[in-house]
Amino acid sequence: MTQYGSPEREKTEEERSLNFIEQIITEDIKSGKNDGRVHTRFPPEPNGYLHIGHAKSICLNFGLAVKYNGLYNLRFDDTNPLTEEVEYVDSIMEDVRWLGFDWGDRLYYASDYFEQLYEWAEKLIIKGKAYVCELTAEEINARRGTPTRPGTESPYRNRGTEENLDLLRRMRKGEFREGEKVLRAKIDMSSPNMHMRDPVLYRIIHASHHRTGDRWCIYPTYDWAHGQSDSIERITHSICTLEFEVHRPLYDWFIRELEIFPSRQIEFARLNLSYTIMSKRKLLQLVKEGYVSGWNDPRMPTISGLRRRGYTPESIRYFSDRIGVAKRENVIDLALLEHSVREDLNKKATRVMAVLNPLKLVITNYPEGETEEVDAVINPEMPDPGKRKVPFTREILIEKDDFMEDPPKKFFRLAPGREVRLKYAYIIKCEKAVKNDHGEITELHCTYDPLTRSGMPDANRKVKSTIHWVSEPHAREVEVRLFDRLFLKEDPDDVEKGQDFKSSLNPESLKVTKGYISSGIDGAGALDKFQFERLGYFCVDPESKPDKMVFNRTVTLRDAWAKMAKNPQK
Ligand code: ATP
Ligand code: MG
């Protein structure tokens, strides 16, 4: 696995300066190209929800425009009526906005350019650079040749201009069946670049489009629409992923032949994340086949899933920036994404104490029926950390695994005869573990030292460990969803190994459990963020109800990335 931006070294001053795209843009500005204008776009196809890879592309495209005082467009690349839906259009806009970008009035649709693209197709025909071909898709493929063997020219390649125009017009009118005819560019069947071997520009699809309805029955291919849309919008820097590098000569050919605005295409390596799949087709499969609850399932790598999981826009933007732009394929460690959200939530999340796996603890020398309030810190990372009152009582709940009857050497928490501090409250000593008939521990009996509370003479007395707790009579039961990685394998989609991505799904990616919280969550609403002390970051699920609260675990507190950064050799 390539470790681009691996944790063992922070970026040097030079690396932090300009990435290769910024270098190109700075040079273009210097040379006065496009009057120094910088105009970028994000061109999603509305055939699925956006994922973290798209987030990278959005942050890159829009971030560059912002950095160079330019403009950015949001353009739906909606050229395929068969896979596109309004639901996707809406979700994409919501996600881009949530990430923190505002496209103002620059919202466009490739479908708005259908008429212009059609005119350009006629222009190519008139120039003798396009023809209507009647070979089937299979025949076209069979005649394409291979990179080392030239293709065979279509028998329809040398039709006259009038005949081509007439046929294209009739294609548009709907006189032919799907697959009967296509329009192809007339370039070079022996070009070493397969994309130059008379690519298809239009195919007949008798289907309604979500915006143009039944107005069209011929639809432009991606290659015919994409670059031209950039030219129409006078996009200066058309940034895309590496697989389009080989399409660039074709796009440049269109620009020359049509004499249109020469957008400059720049390719960068797409984001790949370990333990994650990013193919929309496969993500759709997970949704359709019920492996997840929907596109916004908190285990999905979608922006809506990450949002529901508790990710913040800032954490995603930081992540995006941190990974930089690469020219070669690489895989980013999922731990870096998790690290990014931890860093942000550490600064923002309200601390509360929650117990997920409760063990009852009775403080036998504490007065029965009494409640006292201790001060808990809301967030120690804030300039003004703030304080909140937390009820303390004779009967409390602690985490089961904070006690061991027969502790090994390195266990410093509660055990018979041992002392620990209850966070924000007293030091207690374990006197006895009470068991039921099956020998299972049902509760602990402890005593407390009244002089160890804050403000008391022994407040600073040191013990080896501090544990969190919740007052039992005040405890409120909530539902807690513990999410883990959706896939067990680093590369779930290892095609070379012939592995089906669904076979590496993690059967334990979701565990639903109960949690107990005594204070700090009243009035908390959808997506409010908390740190459950010592356990991790959690947020309120949007479907949570005040009388049946649901929390989603964003991440645990264990930061594998930070650890690697400190200790690279391990
Ligand atoms: P497909 O085209 O196969 O449906 P796609 O992921 O390319 O899938 P698009 O809607 O075409 O989806 O993507 C919109 C933009 O996002 C494109 O410019 C694309 O290059 C970029 N993009 C998609 N996936 C990634 C990724 N993993 N990393 C960076 N950019 C990406
Ligand atoms: Mg695409």
Side-chain angles (χ1 to χ4, degrees):
M1 186 169 91
T2 322
Q3 287 285 348
Y4 183 81
S6 61
E8 56 262 35
R9 45 186 266 287
E10 286 295 318
K11 287 184 179 169
T12 62
E13 197 57 37
E14 199 185 316
E15 283 173 304
R16 230 182 279 126
S17 52
L18 296 184
N19 64 46
F20 79 95
I21 302 181
E22 292 168 339
Q23 283 170 14
I24 293 174
I25 294 181
T26 336
E27 278 158 26
D28 285 349
I29 293 175
K30 259 196 224 144
S31 72
K33 193 173 169 187
N34 302 316
D35 306 321
R37 220 168 36 86
V38 175
H39 201 148
T40 60
R41 85 291 175 260
F42 173 64
E45 186 181 346
N47 61 354
Y49 280 59
L50 296 182
H51 54 57
I52 183 75
H54 296 119
K56 167 72 209 173
S57 177
I58 295 166
C59 293
L60 177 62
N61 275 293
F62 294 1
L64 285 168
V66 171
K67 179 164 181 172
Y68 293 99
N69 293 317
L71 294 171
Y72 54 85
N73 296 357
L74 175 62
R75 179 205 317 141
F76 286 101
D77 231 325
D78 54 350
T79 50
N80 184 352
L82 301 177
T83 54
E84 294 160 6
E85 287 176 29
V86 176
E87 176 196 345
Y88 298 138
V89 171
D90 295 341
S91 78
I92 289 169
M93 291 202 273
E94 184 186 354
D95 290 348
V96 175
R97 262 191 219 110
W98 177 78
L99 269 182
F101 296 100
D102 178 1
W103 55 84
D105 57 359
R106 293 175 310 281
L107 171 66
Y108 301 102
Y109 294 83
S111 55
D112 288 346
Y113 309 142
F114 281 174
E115 192 61 50
Q116 173 69 76
L117 290 171
Y118 179 82
E119 276 174 33
W120 281 336
E122 290 207 351
K123 179 169 175 176
L124 284 187
I125 290 179
I126 291 164
K127 289 183 79 173
K129 301 285 180 168
Y131 61 98
V132 171
C133 180
E134 293 173 36
L135 295 175
T136 63
E138 295 75 41
E139 286 166 338
I140 291 177
N141 254 335
R143 287 165 173 261
R144 192 156 272 157
T146 66
T148 50
R149 189 168 49 80
T152 317
E153 293 189 352
S154 160
Y156 305 99
R157 200 172 196 262
N158 296 313
R159 281 196 216 269
T161 304
E162 285 316 312
E163 192 186 354
N164 274 319
L165 277 180
D166 175 59
L167 285 173
L168 181 64
R169 286 171 188 163
R170 287 167 58 202
M171 275 169 70
R172 177 179 179 166
K173 275 196 204 136
E175 288 186 21
F176 307 113
R177 278 172 290 124
E178 287 188 12
E180 219 179 310
K181 291 183 173 47
V182 292
L183 182 75
R184 297 175 72 177
K186 187 170 171 179
I187 310 179
D188 180 1
M189 285 307 288
S190 54
S191 167
N193 182 333
M194 301 289 285
H195 298 282
M196 301 298 271
R197 295 189 185 174
D198 292 10
V200 173
L201 308 184
Y202 274 104
R203 61 252 197 266
I204 299 169
I205 305 177
H206 290 284
S208 284
H209 183 277
H210 67 104
R211 295 194 80 240
T212 57
D214 292 324
R215 226 175 307 146
W216 293 87
C217 62
I218 54 171
Y219 289 93
T221 54
Y222 182 87
D223 275 345
W224 175 237
H226 189 81
Q228 277 63 270
S229 301
D230 282 340
S231 293
I232 291 171
E233 291 172 21
R234 303 177 71 76
I235 298 301
T236 55
H237 299 86
S238 167
I239 296 162
C240 63
T241 43
L242 279 181
E243 66 271 26
F244 291 103
E245 189 170 5
V246 283
H247 297 239
R248 182 156 27 101
L250 174 62
Y251 299 167
D252 289 343
W253 186 87
F254 289 142
I255 286 173
R256 276 195 313 275
E257 293 299 333
L258 300 171
E259 298 166 78
I260 55 179
F261 181 80
S263 300
R264 173 169 184 179
Q265 176 172 302
I266 306 168
E267 305 87 11
F268 75 106
R270 64 194 303 117
L271 166 65
N272 299 303
L273 257 190
S274 60
Y275 302 97
T276 308
I277 55 164
M278 224 96 86
S279 147
K280 279 190 274 186
R281 191 173 53 77
K282 288 177 182 160
L283 292 174
L284 178 65
Q285 228 175 311
L286 293 180
V287 173
K288 285 247 160 93
E289 294 170 21
Y291 291 99
V292 294
S293 63
W295 282 99
N296 71 345
D297 185 300
R299 291 166 294 177
M300 290 281 271
T302 50
I303 297 181
S304 51
L306 291 166
R307 173 165 66 232
R308 189 164 169 199
R309 177 84 171 247
Y311 276 74
T312 56
E314 292 80 6
S315 64
I316 295 176
R317 294 204 305 260
Y318 169 82
F319 169 75
S320 204
D321 196 40
R322 175 80 195 259
I323 59 179
V325 281
K327 277 187 193 170
R328 266 182 301 141
E329 284 295 334
N330 62 84
V331 180
I332 302 290
D333 195 330
L334 181 59
L336 178 56
L337 180 64
E338 295 172 344
H339 167 77
S340 306
V341 73
R342 269 188 204 101
E343 283 219 323
D344 195 40
L345 291 179
N346 183 38
K347 288 182 264 164
K348 294 176 181 160
T350 297
R351 272 53 168 171
V352 298
M353 290 197 286
V355 169
L356 300 190
N357 199 5
L359 175 61
K360 181 167 173 166
L361 188 153
V362 183
I363 301 163
T364 52
N365 61 338
Y366 193 86
E368 249 171 273
E370 186 163 315
T371 300
E372 86 183 275
E373 289 190 316
V374 297
D375 284 328
V377 176
I378 294 176
N379 184 337
E381 301 298 321
M382 288 191 179
D384 174 15
K387 281 190 179 156
R388 184 164 37 78
K389 299 284 182 206
V390 177
F392 182 81
T393 50
R394 175 184 160 97
E395 297 178 343
I396 61 174
L397 303 175
I398 65 163
E399 274 328 315
K400 230 177 219 154
D401 60 11
D402 279 338
F403 173 81
M404 282 186 94
E405 198 174 15
D406 191 12
K409 254 205 172 127
K410 284 199 169 164
F411 186 87
F412 297 116
R413 289 165 279 163
L414 213 48
R418 285 262 191 92
E419 283 189 322
V420 295
R421 179 174 288 280
L422 294 174
K423 186 138 201 193
Y424 307 122
Y426 301 96
I427 291 177
I428 56 165
K429 182 175 179 188
C430 179
E431 308 290 350
K432 185 177 153 200
V434 180
K435 294 182 183 173
N436 65 14
D437 296 345
H438 307 293
E440 296 155 353
I441 297 167
T442 52
E443 57 182 55
L444 301 178
H445 286 181
C446 299
T447 51
Y448 83 119
D449 178 348
L451 298 182
T452 52
R453 200 194 132 159
S454 123
M456 296 289 186
D458 292 339
N460 295 325
R461 180 151 79 81
K462 291 273 176 289
V463 284
K464 284 210 166 127
S465 179
T466 299
I467 65 173
H468 66 276
W469 53 275
V470 161
S471 158
E472 191 192 34
H474 297 87
R476 174 168 170 190
E477 192 184 294
V478 300
E479 180 176 318
V480 178
R481 298 178 183 163
L482 301 174
F483 297 105
D484 201 348
R485 298 176 171 179
L486 190 52
F487 293 99
L488 291 170
K489 300 215 174 98
E490 225 169 87
D491 179 2
D493 211 9
D494 200 333
V495 187
E496 278 161 34
K497 289 189 193 136
Q499 166 187 304
D500 174 25
F501 72 102
K502 284 181 279 180
S503 69
S504 54
L505 278 164
N506 177 5
E508 305 205 336
S509 59
L510 167 60
K511 275 191 224 150
V512 180
T513 184
K514 285 176 186 153
Y516 301 89
I517 304 176
S518 72
S519 68
I521 55 166
D522 288 341
L527 299 181
D528 282 352
K529 317 274 189 286
F530 295 91
Q531 184 194 90
F532 291 178
E533 300 215 31
R534 299 178 63 227
L535 297 178
Y537 292 102
F538 293 75
C539 75
V540 179
D541 188 79
E543 284 165 17
S544 171
K545 307 249 164 21
D547 56 335
K548 191 181 173 294
M549 290 190 79
V550 178
F551 286 87
N552 295 332
R553 181 169 75 194
T554 314
V555 277
T556 61
L557 293 179
R558 225 165 45 95
D559 193 333
W561 184 267
K563 220 168 156 189
M564 272 192 282
K566 255 194 214 145
N567 242 338
Q569 54 280 28
K570 282 197 185 145

